[in-house]
Amino acid sequence: MYTLSRSPRTGARAYAHVGTEISVMSASPHQLIVMLFEGAKTAITMARHHMEMKNVGAKGKAISKAIDIVENGLRASLDAQAGGPAVADLTTDLSALYGYISQRLMQANLHNDPALLDEVDGLLDAIGSAWREIDPANKPLPAAA
């Protein structure tokens, strides 16, 4: 019926995966973007750790994950059609910034440069913080008349 895994980590990893799936399924579109920012920052933190430990393979994998989140999550979710010209301009600017972030991540990987990871981490912090500030769920209720 059930078999014991070879590693206790396998069970913990599966449990974490299920928890993440449940969070994603119940999240609002706004919360999903917040989760992408958090995932990218976590991958960058892991890349920094692996860089310090001189674990080239794991560092590359973590940076690749961060790039994937930025490109196929954050950048791909931009929608210039969602609003007027101001939104289209903002979308263009964000797309360019996400492209820059991906390039810096690739350079950090190639040159083993933790300063580039710090730069990207700061950029994602700033954008993610602004995104969290505009969470529609945090809007104050209208005053009673």
Side-chain angles (χ1 to χ4, degrees), residues 31-80:
Q31 291 168 324
L32 290 172
I33 299 299
V34 169
M35 292 170 79
L36 289 171
F37 280 114
E38 291 170 355
K41 288 183 60 58
T42 298
I44 291 167
T45 299
M46 293 305 299
R48 188 179 296 107
H49 168 75
H50 293 307
M51 194 177 280
E52 290 169 3
M53 297 286 134
K54 305 207 183 318
N55 186 339
V56 176
K59 174 204 65 169
K61 188 174 180 180
I63 289 177
S64 292
K65 182 174 184 174
I67 292 170
D68 188 43
I69 291 169
V70 169
E71 290 296 321
N72 297 313
L74 295 170
R75 195 174 197 184
S77 68
L78 295 173
D79 184 3

